[in-house]
Amino acid sequence: AASALNVALPPRLAIWSAELADGFGRANLAADGFSPLDLAAIMDIESAGGETLIRDFALPPPTSPYYKAALATGVGFTGDDYGLMQINIRAHPDFFTSHDPFDAMANVREGAKILGQKYRFLSRSGSPIRIKGVLIGGELPDPRPLRGDFARRAAVAAYNAGEGNVLLAVARGLDPGAATYNGTYLSRFD
């Protein structure tokens, strides 16, 4: 019998249900109100569960030791972003020194961890911070702490655009999604 997670996932993502469920449990995202389906939606946006990584030039070069693994698993890289959850090497260098970014399970766990960190950052009060030359908590009011579904939406937007860009958008009275690539990143969460 299929699990509820497998039934709910689009077919292209169902093969990753074990990684999603494990990544979800290990990162304790339930306390933040996220589910494996939230991770699946982010994975779908970031890499289409690996399909875009194979289709759109994103495989390692054929001479790379990771090439066959990427073909076999649908996990590749685009620029500075690696794997199913497209973990950014510049933002999360520690992950890359301690994990294989092409390991699907490790990649999903790290994506879940990052999402939780963004949620917790946006859900608590903080010191004034400067973003793109604007002082949040000075020139613009600091919208933190964000709460409930709005905080979860903001965390998902921050997964794409960064916490600072999301705070700047919210401080200006915009939806968190306005900070994301093309402003459409949150469309699957509405």
Side-chain angles (χ1 to χ4, degrees), residues 20-150:
L20 289 164
D22 185 68
F24 168 75
R26 301 253 177 152
N28 296 315
L29 286 182
D32 297 331
F34 293 102
S35 75
L37 293 176
D38 294 323
L39 291 177
I42 291 171
M43 181 192 293
D44 196 25
I45 295 165
E46 292 289 339
S47 71
E51 284 186 7
T52 59
L53 300 173
I54 288 175
R55 186 185 69 234
D56 298 340
F57 70 80
L59 287 174
T63 55
S64 166
Y66 298 113
Y67 181 76
K68 285 184 182 176
L71 277 176
T73 63
V75 180
F77 66 94
T78 56
D80 291 331
D81 304 316
Y82 291 75
L84 295 168
M85 301 295 286
Q86 291 291 278
I87 309 299
N88 186 280
I89 193 168
R90 289 179 293 147
H92 308 284
D94 291 346
F95 171 70
F96 290 85
T97 59
S98 60
H99 295 86
D100 175 356
F102 299 103
D103 177 330
M105 188 77 78
N107 197 274
V108 171
R109 285 182 190 149
E110 186 69 8
K113 177 181 149 189
I114 292 165
L115 181 62
Q117 289 169 341
K118 291 178 182 306
Y119 174 81
R120 287 184 291 281
F121 173 82
L122 294 166
S123 297
R124 66 176 182 261
S125 298
S127 302
I129 56 175
R130 188 165 296 280
I131 301 158
K132 296 183 178 176
V134 176
L135 185 63
I136 303 290
E139 299 158 29
L140 285 174
D142 190 338
R144 294 174 295 168
L146 305 180
R147 297 283 183 237
D149 288 340
F150 189 79

